[in-house]
Amino acid sequence: MAYEKVNELNLKDTELCLGLPGRTEEIKEEQEVSCVKSNNKRQFEETREEEESTPPTKTQIVGWPPVRSSRKNNNSVSYVKVSMDGAPYLRKIDLKTYKNYPELLKALESMFKVTIGQYCEREGYKGSGFVPTYEDKDGDWMLVGDVPWDMFSSSCKRLRIMKGSDAPALDSSL
Amino acid sequence: MNYFPDEVIEHVFDFVTSHKDRNAISLVCKSWYKIERYSRQKVFIGNCYAINPERLLRRFPCLKSLTLKGKPHFADFNLVPHEWGGFVLPWIEALARSRVGLEELRLKRMVVTDESLELLSRSFVNFKSLVLVSCEGFTTDGLASIAANCRHLRDLDLQENEIDDHRGQWLSCFPDTCTTLVTLNFACLEGETNLVALERLVARSPNLKSLKLNRAVPLDALARLMVCAPQIVDLGVGSYENDPDSESYMKLKAAVKKCTSLRSLSGFLEAAPHCLSAFHPICHNLTSLNLSYAAEIHGSHLIKLIQHCKKLQRLWILDSIGDKGLEVVASTCKELQELRVFPSDLLGGGNTAVTEEGLVAISAGCPKLHSILYFCQQMTNAALVTVAKNCPNFIRFRLCILEPNKPDHVTSQPLDEGFGAIVKACKSLRRLSLSGLLTDQVFLYIGMYANQLEMLSIAFAGDTDKGMLYVLNGCKKMKKLEIRDSPFGDTALLADVSKYETMRSLWMSSCEVTLSGCKKLAQKAPWLNVEIINENDNNRMEENGHEGRQKVDKLYLYRTVVGTRMDAPPFVWIL
C-alpha cells in the first residue's frame, strides 16, 4: 500500500490533464490523478461525481472504515499544525474557529508576527515574502486560497508558512 | 396439553414473547400452530423480501406490531446503491387494505416516503409507535402527517435516518390534545426546530420518558425543556453554544439536578466541553452514555465526566478518549456491559487513537462486558489472547483495525491466533467482525469453535476458498455472512447450496465469484434470490455466457418463500 508523496512543485504537477481520471491502481495513474486534482480543484468542486469515481487511494477505500456517513460528517478533526520556516516550534490552530480566509490569515499573521498580505488568484501572495501553504488529504502541498473555504477547511491537514525566497515563483502557468 | 381448551393454551402462550420461542411453538403440532398464529401480535421479519405482506397477514391476522428490515448491513457504509430496494409502501398499503389493527411499526434500512407515512397515519386508528432506524426517502412533511393524524401516538423514534428537512412546522402539527408521547427522538434532523412548539409539546406530555433533540436546540432551550420534563429518563442533548453566559449555564445546572430519573445521556452534537460539568450531579445514576458524536469534547473533559459514572452499563465514545481514558473507564465503570469506541480522525494518522492497551485494560477492569465495537490503530495477538482470558462472556465482538491487512504490530504475524483465542474462549459468541491481516487459519478456528455464531463480517481477509468453506461447514447457526475484498470464489460459494436455506443472507463484494458461478447457484437453489448488483458495468454483464468468467462486483443472496422481487432497479440482476 505504498503511496508516494509529492512534496515539490515541478512542471509535471502544474500540467493540465484533459479527460477523466482512469480506473487502474498503478501509481503512475494515481499521480496523474493527483496532478489533475491539484490543478483543477475548483472545477472538481462542481463535478463532485467525477471526484468520487477516481481510483481509491490508501485513505479512500469505498466503505472503509465501516462507519456510517452521519459519523463521518461529524468527526472531522479541525486542529491542524502550523509551521513557519525559521520558527523554533510549531503551533496548532482550530480551523473551525475561522469562517473564511481573511480571518485565518489575520490569525496567522498575529501568531507569527509576519505580514502575509492579500491573496491574488494569478500570482499568489505577492510582495509579502511569506507564502501560506497547506498539505491536503492527498499529501500534496497547495497554496492557501485557491479553493473555496469549506473545501479547504475539510481537506487541510497541516499548514506551512513558507519564506518568500523558498517558495517558487508561481507564474501564469497555473 | 391436548386436554386443555384452546383459550387456556393461548393464555399460556401469552407468556412466551421471544420470536424464536413462538416460532418453535408453532412447529409442535397443527393445533398449536393454529392457536399460536391467531394469538401472535408481534412479528419480526429480518428480510422484507423473504416474504410478502399478503402471506404475512394470512398467517397472522391479529398482527399489532411489525418489525421489518430492508437493505443488507453493508448499506450503512455506502456499498449498496440507494435505489436497490426495501420499499415500505407496498407493506403499508397491504396492511391498510386488510384493516389489521396495527399499533407499532419498526423499520430498519428501508425506503420510506412521505406518501407511506401519510397512508400509515390515516389507516390505523390505534397506531402508537413508529421507530425508523437508518431509513431514507422521506421529509419532515411525512413527520407532519404522523404528528397530525396519529391521535394516540406514543413513540416517534428517528435514529440515524436521512431525512430531508423542509424546515416546516411539523412539531406544531401535534394537536393540543396530544398528550400521550413517551418517546420523541428527532436528533437526526438537520434543520431548524420550532422551539416554542417543542416546549409546548413537552410541557403537555407528562409521560415523556425519552427526548432526543437535534443540533438546532440550544443550551437555554434545553434548560427550559428539562424544567418541563423532570421525569425524563433518556435525554439527547442538541447543541451547546461555545461560551454560554453563566446565567444560562446556572439554569441548566439547576434543571439537571431536578432530573433524578435520568439514566441515559446522548447527543452533544455540537458541544463545548466545559458545559459537560452541568451534568455531573446526575452522573452517578447514568446507565447509558453516548458521546460518540461529540467530536469537540476531548480526553480530559470526557474523563472528568466518566469518573462520576460508576453505574454505567453502556458507553459509546470516540477514540479521542485514548488508552489512558479507557483505563479510567476500566477502573470506574465496573458495571459496564457494552462499549463502542468510534474513530474520530478519519483523515488518517490519529495521534490520540486507541490501541490494544485500551482494549486489554477494559477487559481486565469490566467483568460484565459482553458487547464490544472497537476501532483502533493497531492490535496484537497477545492482547487478544489476554482479552479472551479476561472476558469469556462476549456475545458480540467487533474489532476494526483501521488499516486493512495490518498484522500484529509487534510480531508482524497475522492475527489468526488472537481471534482464534476469542472464538475458543467465548462460547456464547453470536456476532463477530474481523480485521487486520488474516489467513485461512482464522476461519478454521471460527468453524471449529464458534458454535453459536450468527453473524460474521469479513473484510480483506483469507487466502483461499478453504477459508470460507471452514465457516460454512462449521458454523451451524450462521444467519448472516457478509464478506468484502476477500479471495473467496465459486468453489466456496457452490460447495453446499443447502446451507443457504438455513441462513438469512450472504453478501459478497469484491471477491472472486464469477457470473457463471452465481448462475449455477441460482439454478441449483430456486428458493434463493441471487442478486447481482452492477452499478458501473451495465453493459459488461451479458446474458450470453461468454462473459461468464466475469467477476461479480456485488453478490447478495437470501432465502425467500415468495420468489423474485418485482421492484428491483435495472442495475440489480436477479438470476
Side-chain angles (χ1 to χ4, degrees), chain A residues 1 59 61-72 74-77 79 92 96 137 154 157, chain B residues 76-77 134 160 215 292-293 295-296 316 318 342-347 375 400-402 404 459 484:
Chain A
M1 300 234 179
T59 50
I61 302 169
V62 175
W64 193 265
V67 285
R68 296 178 195 223
S69 5
S70 55
R71 292 194 181 278
K72 282 188 171 166
N74 275 317
N75 294 336
S76 52
V77 169
Y79 271 99
K92 258 198 168 169
K96 280 211 186 127
K137 279 193 266 211
S154 62
K157 278 174 70 175
Chain B
D76 284 353
F77 319 129
S134 301
E160 316 224 22
R215 61 178 75 238
S292 62
Y293 280 99
E296 276 143 81
W316 290 24
L318 290 170
F342 292 95
S344 56
D345 181 7
L346 290 165
L347 296 176
F375 285 84
C400 181
I401 302 163
L402 289 165
R484 64 166 291 179

Side-chain angles (χ1 to χ4, degrees), chain B residues 117-349:
Chain B
L117 291 175
E118 162 99 36
L119 183 60
L120 178 68
S121 73
R122 291 193 186 284
S123 309
F124 309 104
V125 167
N126 285 323
F127 190 75
K128 292 194 173 69
S129 178
L130 181 63
V131 180
L132 302 177
V133 181
S134 301
C135 296
E136 54 170 355
F138 60 106
T139 77
T140 43
D141 295 346
L143 298 179
S145 327
I146 297 288
N149 303 330
C150 299
R151 305 247 175 96
H152 304 288
L153 195 66
R154 208 181 49 202
D155 308 308
L156 180 58
D157 190 356
L158 308 169
Q159 300 175 27
E160 316 224 22
N161 301 289
E162 276 180 36
I163 307 175
D164 204 357
D165 196 327
H166 286 174
R167 288 167 175 78
Q169 297 300 317
W170 71 277
L171 273 171
S172 30
C173 292
F174 283 101
D176 289 339
T177 47
C178 173
T179 58
T180 46
L181 274 181
V182 173
T183 304
L184 179 62
N185 173 7
F186 59 96
C188 58
L189 279 179
E190 293 290 323
E192 282 152 31
T193 294
N194 182 336
L195 295 174
V196 171
L198 175 62
E199 278 174 50
R200 282 217 204 108
L201 179 61
V202 169
R204 67 175 185 276
S205 304
N207 299 324
L208 193 66
K209 295 282 188 295
S210 172
L211 178 63
K212 290 184 178 161
L213 310 167
N214 73 344
R215 61 178 75 238
V217 181
L219 193 70
D220 52 333
L222 174 65
R224 286 198 298 275
L225 288 165
M226 292 178 80
V227 167
C228 291
Q231 77 282 5
I232 206 92
V233 173
D234 175 17
L235 178 67
V237 171
S239 66
Y240 277 150
E241 295 136 22
N242 275 328
D243 288 307
D245 58 85
S246 55
E247 197 193 324
S248 56
Y249 176 78
M250 284 301 149
K251 280 194 185 144
L252 179 65
K253 217 173 164 165
V256 167
K257 277 214 185 93
K258 297 227 173 82
C259 295
T260 52
S261 305
L262 196 54
R263 296 289 174 272
S264 168
L265 199 55
S266 63
F268 298 93
L269 305 170
E270 277 174 23
H274 42 272
C275 302
L276 275 187
S277 45
F279 288 92
H280 287 178
I282 48 88
C283 281
H284 61 275
N285 288 329
L286 286 182
T287 55
S288 169
L289 182 60
N290 180 356
L291 292 170
S292 62
Y293 280 99
E296 276 143 81
I297 302 180
H298 296 293
S300 58
H301 297 281
L302 289 174
I303 291 171
K304 258 192 229 143
L305 185 76
I306 288 172
Q307 276 169 331
H308 290 85
C309 302
K310 296 202 176 3
K311 289 207 193 135
L312 219 53
Q313 293 172 16
R314 192 166 86 138
L315 176 62
W316 290 24
I317 200 134
L318 290 170
D319 63 4
S320 47
I321 193 175
D323 285 333
K324 288 278 171 277
L326 289 177
E327 280 164 31
V328 174
V329 173
S331 60
T332 309
C333 308
K334 294 304 183 185
E335 303 295 314
L336 197 66
Q337 296 175 21
E338 179 187 332
L339 175 68
R340 294 196 190 189
V341 181
F342 292 95
S344 56
D345 181 7
L346 290 165
L347 296 176

